[in-house]
Amino acid sequence: MARSRMVVILFLALAAGMPGPAATQDKSDLAGQWTLNRAVSQFPAEIGFNVDFAPLGGSGPGADGPGGRRGSRGAAVPAIRRRPESEDDARRVQLLTGEVRTPSAHLTIVDTPAAVTVTDEKGRSRTFHPNGKEESLQLDTVPVGVTATREAGRLTVRYRVEEGRELRYTYSRAASPPQLVVSVQFVERGNNGDVRWVYEPATAADTLAASAAAINRAAVSPGAGTPGSAGPLQAASTGAAPAQTFNQQPDAELRGIKKLGVVVEELSSQAAACGLSQSTLETAVSKRLTDAGLTVIRNSDQDTYVYVNVITSSVSNGLCVSRYDAFLYTYTTATLSYQTAPVLVQVSLLHKGSIAGGSPAAHADGVVRGVQDYVDLFVTRIRDANK
């Protein structure tokens, strides 16, 4: 009997000293101040979700195109068009993809068992609760569903961008050399695009630079802290003049727009053969803007204006394929970083683009509808900014 008791006691002692599954899987140590090392990080040439196509006949245009006009001339594109997205979905794709394309140079992480808070170089903080439950975070002007989990020392954060699309961040820490590794995956049907950033412990110089940037942000942020307190501090420490304030509200650059010019780029002979007409597009865009209460000046790019460009190709089976883009442009004066005197520059305020394909008989109507839908989105943004 005594021998049996000794065996039980020894087993319990060994069991008490062994780490359980929760201890090995749920523990992570990501806390610290980190600086991005671009030399050892991986930045693919193409970053973002693939163009999501639907069979011809699906309604509505897609969101922002993959960028530029590559592949629009001479490419054999099937009789399809981009799958429709809501404005919120398109905005989430734009914002989250933009964050991946321009990662923060500095991160500050506070890691506790119940929550992980990540703060970027602009002072924006996001708190994740690694309990496997979806939470809603506000991303600029749109909400996004976020789920965080821990496993084997890694923190995984999943952003539910839209149906069938997810952005997955995985944070892990390496001991030798000490590094914070952030892997990002664009997860969608048939594609997992990968990005890998490597952060190293911040030096004293990095911390000082981040602090100076925070002070400068407080100086230019309306209502931040005590009025006038941050500006003089920055000026005294650097000898520079106090930073100018500016409106940081969403779409502040659209406020005050009441008049727009309209310019439709001259179409090619292939576009004409596919039923497209420059005057028809100009009339359709002008009517949308006029119906919204805006004053329209046709064929004018002297001030703020809507610019439409359509590039059309025909493939061997007679199918028409067009890449169409709508821009909202304006002009301003600015002092560029490599010059000393202000110059006049063109500014792109808004841009939407997509691809449409179909038979010549129906192709023109599809392109016109797509351009009109984009102009409607511009009008909505302008109207909301002026409320």
Side-chain angles (χ1 to χ4, degrees):
M1 182 66 69
R3 180 182 179 89
S4 298
R5 283 199 299 270
M6 286 297 294
V7 171
V8 172
I9 292 172
L10 180 60
F11 174 80
L12 292 176
L14 290 172
M18 293 173 61
T24 59
Q25 293 184 359
D26 295 342
K27 180 179 175 59
S28 65
D29 186 15
L30 308 174
Q33 292 181 308
W34 304 94
T35 298
L36 180 64
N37 185 336
R38 288 184 170 272
V40 297
S41 298
Q42 297 175 0
F43 296 89
E46 298 291 337
I47 298 177
F49 291 104
N50 289 329
V51 178
D52 194 10
F53 289 106
L56 188 64
S59 60
D64 295 85
R69 304 183 179 92
R70 289 172 292 178
S72 59
R73 289 186 181 272
V77 181
I80 50 182
R81 67 180 300 166
R82 287 191 67 174
R83 190 176 300 279
E85 290 179 305
S86 70
E87 186 174 0
D88 282 355
D89 286 345
R91 186 65 174 156
R92 273 189 290 269
V93 170
Q94 179 187 29
L95 292 171
L96 289 169
T97 302
E99 290 180 355
V100 180
R101 289 175 177 167
T102 56
S104 178
H106 303 282
L107 293 179
T108 299
I109 300 181
V110 177
D111 190 352
T112 69
V116 179
T117 300
V118 181
T119 304
D120 66 11
E121 61 184 341
K122 296 182 180 179
R124 299 174 300 190
S125 296
R126 291 179 189 165
T127 299
F128 309 107
H129 300 91
N131 53 19
K133 299 179 181 178
E134 183 173 295
E135 300 177 288
S136 180
L137 289 182
Q138 193 67 20
L139 187 68
D140 194 10
T141 58
V142 294
V144 59
V146 178
T147 304
T149 56
R150 294 188 200 263
E151 183 178 0
R154 296 188 300 270
L155 174 71
T156 300
V157 179
R158 295 159 47 203
Y159 293 85
R160 184 164 53 82
V161 182
E162 59 182 343
E163 183 181 357
R165 284 179 169 175
E166 176 181 292
L167 196 60
R168 185 179 303 164
Y169 281 72
T170 302
Y171 299 81
S172 60
R173 185 165 181 171
S176 181
Q179 293 176 334
L180 173 72
V181 179
V182 183
S183 299
V184 186
Q185 289 181 300
F186 288 82
V187 182
E188 57 185 331
R189 301 180 187 91
N191 177 65
N192 289 340
D194 294 335
V195 181
R196 185 175 183 269
W197 304 323
V198 177
Y199 288 83
E200 297 175 344
T203 64
D206 293 333
T207 303
L208 181 60
S211 299
I215 293 173
N216 191 51
R217 284 193 302 272
V220 301
S221 177
T226 304
S229 61
L233 176 60
Q234 175 71 359
S237 61
T238 65
Q244 295 180 348
T245 60
F246 62 95
N247 191 338
Q248 300 185 60
Q249 296 299 314
D251 286 339
E253 68 277 12
L254 305 179
R255 187 170 299 172
I257 293 179
K258 297 179 180 178
K259 179 175 66 175
L260 287 174
V262 173
V263 175
V264 177
E265 188 69 34
E266 184 176 353
L267 301 178
S268 66
S269 58
Q270 287 178 312
C274 289
L276 288 162
S277 164
Q278 182 181 11
S279 61
T280 299
L281 279 167
E282 186 179 273
T283 300
V285 172
S286 299
K287 186 176 187 306
R288 282 294 206 268
L289 297 174
T290 302
D291 290 347
L294 295 166
T295 300
V296 174
I297 305 175
R298 291 198 181 197
N299 199 28
S300 172
D301 59 356
Q302 297 302 309
D303 197 353
T304 307
Y305 66 101
V306 174
Y307 172 74
V308 177
N309 184 58
V310 181
I311 299 177
T312 304
S313 299
S314 298
V315 294
S316 57
N317 61 358
L319 179 71
C320 294
V321 178
S322 290
R323 166 77 196 192
Y324 57 92
D325 291 87
F327 299 83
L328 181 61
Y329 283 127
T330 193
Y331 296 96
T332 189
T333 56
T335 302
L336 304 177
S337 61
Y338 49 88
Q339 296 181 355
T340 57
V343 294
L344 183 67
V345 294
Q346 186 182 60
V347 180
S348 176
L349 300 176
L350 296 171
H351 168 231
K352 292 288 185 180
S354 190
I355 298 174
S359 64
H363 183 66
D365 288 341
V367 173
V368 172
R369 283 197 305 271
V371 172
Q372 286 178 319
D373 287 343
Y374 285 154
V375 172
D376 288 343
L377 290 178
F378 292 177
V379 167
T380 299
R381 297 274 293 274
I382 294 171
R383 182 187 296 122
D384 290 346
N386 284 278
K387 287 181 178 178

